């Protein structure tokens, strides 16, 4: 799985955290960015995250949620959820071949205490 996150806002992001939740990993939530550190994302900057999963070819899609939390320069926190349905169709030398369908939800203003804390 390759994830690219780009700051398309008008200002820098003071802090960003990215969580991954899926039935692939027993519906546990994993913090894949920003776990024990402060992650800054400047205006127009892009972060790339790569993770590998061993998936069986299946007609049923794998459901995944990518949850992005970020703090703007005014110390407001936001959450944005990306829902992914991935159907693994076959494996080639270059990796998995499949069909990904996703839905990007609108960001929502949250309180800092609303950031998921029970993460692995």
């Amino acid at each position: 799985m390759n994830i690219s996150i780009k700051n398309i806002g008008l200002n820098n992001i003071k802090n960003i955290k990215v969580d991954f939740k899926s039935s692939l990993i027993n519906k546990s939530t994993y913090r894949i960015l920003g776990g024990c550190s402060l992650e800054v994302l400047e205006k127009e900057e892009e972060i790339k995250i790569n993770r590998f999963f061993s998936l069986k070819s299946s007609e049923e899609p794998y459901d995944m949620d990518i949850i992005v939390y970020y703090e703007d320069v005014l110390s407001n926190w936001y959450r944005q959820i990306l829902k992914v349905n991935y159907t693994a169709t076959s494996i080639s030398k270059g990796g998995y071949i499949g069909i990904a369908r996703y839905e990007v939800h609108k960001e929502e203003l949250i309180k800092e205490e609303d950031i998921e804390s029970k993460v692995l």
Side-chain angles (χ1 to χ4, degrees), residues 8 23 35 52 57 68-70 100 111 113 117:
I8 60 171
S23 58
F52 297 94
S57 182
V68 180
Y69 301 97
Y70 61 93
K111 295 178 183 173
E113 55 266 19
S117 60

Side-chain angles (χ1 to χ4, degrees), residues 1 3 5 21 24 34 48 52-53 57 60 71 74-75 81 92 94 99 104 110-111 120:
M1 172 174 59
I3 302 169
I5 298 173
K21 186 175 184 177
L24 291 171
K48 295 186 183 283
F52 297 94
F53 299 100
S57 182
E60 290 295 315
E71 181 182 19
L74 300 174
S75 298
I81 299 173
S92 70
I99 300 166
V104 179
I110 62 169
K111 295 178 183 173
L120 302 173

